[in-house]
Amino acid sequence: MPASDPMTDPLAQSIAASFDPAPPPVLGVAVSGGGDSVALLHLLNGYARSRGIALHAATVDHGLRPEAAREAAMVAAQCRALGVPHDTLRWTGWDHSGNLQNEARKARYRLLADWARGQGIGAVCIGHTADDLAETFVMRLGRRAGVDGLSAMPAMFDRHGMRWHRPLLNARRADLRAHLTRCGVTWVDDPSNEDDSFARVRIRKALAVLTDLGVDSAALADVSRHLADARTALDAQMFAAARAHAQVQCGAVAMDWQALCDLPTETRRRLLTHTIAWINGATYAPRSSAVAEVLTALDDAGAATVQGCELRLKRDKLWIYRELRAVRAVDAPVGALWDGRWRLEPCGDAPAPDTQTTIRALGAEGLRSFADWRDLGVPRGVLLASPAVWQGAELVAAPLVGRSQNWQAVLERGEDAFFAAHMTH
């Protein structure tokens, strides 16, 4: 397939606009074998060659269809012809719990992120299109989603420690297939795309019927982009409120309760969900209904829990912090990330820890070693769920509580990540 001319081909221009003027030296691309991802592979190959960028491709075989192995082999063959290194990643170990499509999607991101890190790749491209924007919009509309849910998926986001790009969000599925046909490139149509048992397939067929009314994929994609602009404006208000009314201490967040109550409803909801996500690292924030239940519980009892976080009113402040129950069984070796957010390491001339040293929650047993912990001015729960250094049953250090013993505790996503806009999915 000849490389697309960026001066004349709008699809090639979309690729260039995603990365110029400072493209990364290495790019990854996820290729399933379908028309969208195959087109992305070929378009990226032309772009990468023109910029001297190393391109790597991967296909995830979920092991759910007998045809999947053949499709991965087809992608591998196309990659060989292009001179693009290719790997097939296989999903194993699903316990048949949860929604299949959702579990497969989560596994796909994990597998691709691990693969990319192993290859020294800092960014991975995926082939979502304007049609995907429209279908997602309708699906979330049926779930009574708000501004966030109905907003266009971002062209760039972070997940599993990897940067992800969607260079084809402005492209239509039909245009990509027409491009492949002109260039003589084949692709595979997944038979599940015609299976009416999947909601996305039914939505796709419904959109075809609505086209005569002007409610087509292009129109809905535009609406989702307008809502994304509104989301950006709302987030700006939320971060301004965070800077004005919140402070970070010991990895927890304290907010002026009255100021929080005086905020517009949507700003208050966003600030709470942003704080919870910053603390627990969850991919998805709690639903609006869950946040409403939390606020009711705070009014009634002054305390609530949600998504592994505890919220507690103390005098005139609302404290939000990690719930001990969520981290009680979590341990990590020295230097590794604990609870997805804390890294504890010896500093200065401290001797190197032995192999029995681990990072665990301080807990009630550890906190008993600190008679003056109340002087820190934080709720007891904040300290219970804080990271500490243990050697078996012996407490070695608890940097956040005051016994550092030449150890330091550093937040992977620090205050800058809390007080400034962050990448979402």
Side-chain angles (χ1 to χ4, degrees), residues 95-413:
D95 60 4
H96 295 274
S97 64
N99 176 276
L100 172 58
Q101 284 195 322
N102 185 52
E103 293 302 315
R105 180 172 58 253
K106 290 192 293 186
R108 187 159 58 247
Y109 278 111
R110 286 195 303 269
L111 286 168
L112 287 166
D114 291 343
W115 162 78
R117 277 190 293 272
Q119 301 291 328
I121 299 167
V124 178
C125 299
I126 47 182
H128 290 136
T129 66
D131 296 87
D132 291 304
L133 289 182
E135 293 159 11
T136 300
F137 179 90
V138 175
M139 184 177 294
R140 292 177 177 174
L141 190 65
R143 297 172 185 166
R144 311 299 196 269
V147 172
D148 285 357
L150 297 176
S151 297
M153 57 184 76
M156 183 171 61
F157 64 103
D158 294 331
R159 187 181 299 177
H160 299 307
M162 184 58 54
R163 175 65 51 88
W164 305 84
H165 290 266
R166 295 177 172 121
L168 297 178
L169 281 182
N170 291 321
R172 297 292 302 277
R173 190 173 291 138
D175 294 334
L176 293 171
R177 282 155 176 71
H179 179 82
L180 291 176
T181 299
R182 288 194 302 271
C183 297
V185 176
T186 59
W187 68 92
V188 175
D189 284 318
D190 185 341
S192 67
N193 289 333
E194 298 299 323
D195 186 348
D196 286 346
S197 65
F198 294 115
R200 189 171 289 272
V201 174
R202 297 195 299 274
I203 289 170
R204 191 171 299 163
K205 293 180 177 179
L207 284 174
V209 175
L210 292 171
T211 298
D212 288 342
L213 300 176
V215 186
D216 59 5
S217 294
L220 292 179
D222 282 344
V223 171
S224 70
R225 293 187 189 100
H226 297 329
L227 288 170
D229 291 339
R231 177 181 61 190
T232 299
L234 289 167
D235 279 344
Q237 290 185 344
M238 181 270 288
F239 282 109
R243 288 187 287 271
H245 306 303
Q247 62 184 39
V248 174
Q249 188 173 350
C250 296
V253 175
M255 302 181 192
D256 182 296
W257 174 242
Q258 188 57 55
L260 182 69
C261 293
D262 291 341
L263 291 173
T265 301
E266 180 63 11
T267 306
R268 180 170 62 246
R269 184 194 69 80
R270 284 175 178 276
L271 182 51
L272 288 175
T273 56
H274 168 65
T275 303
I276 291 165
W278 180 74
I279 291 172
N280 67 13
T283 301
Y284 297 103
R287 293 182 179 275
S288 297
S289 57
V291 175
E293 291 171 3
V294 163
L295 290 169
T296 298
L298 288 172
D299 282 333
D300 293 343
T305 58
V306 62
Q307 281 193 351
C309 292
E310 187 167 348
L311 296 87
R312 185 171 295 275
L313 288 174
K314 185 179 180 182
R315 299 185 183 89
D316 58 350
K317 289 185 178 180
L318 171 64
W319 286 85
I320 305 177
Y321 48 90
R322 200 67 160 118
E323 186 182 9
L324 176 60
R325 184 173 58 177
V327 296
R328 192 190 302 275
V330 177
D331 60 56
V334 173
L337 206 57
W338 182 80
D339 190 31
R341 64 193 303 244
W342 288 104
R343 204 177 296 278
L344 271 66
E345 296 176 327
C347 55
D349 298 327
D354 64 31
T355 56
Q356 301 301 312
T357 304
T358 60
I359 311 303
R360 302 198 306 270
L362 181 63
E365 180 182 355
L367 191 59
R368 279 196 289 270
S369 302
F370 301 90
D372 56 353
W373 64 265
R374 292 177 180 83
D375 294 343
L376 294 173
V378 303
R380 180 171 180 266
V382 173
L383 304 178
L384 293 177
S386 67
V389 184
W390 294 86
Q391 194 169 51
E394 179 185 356
L395 177 64
V396 175
L400 298 183
V401 188
R403 184 188 295 172
S404 66
Q405 301 297 103
N406 285 323
W407 286 78
Q408 60 179 350
V410 179
L411 275 170
E412 186 79 357
R413 304 183 309 277

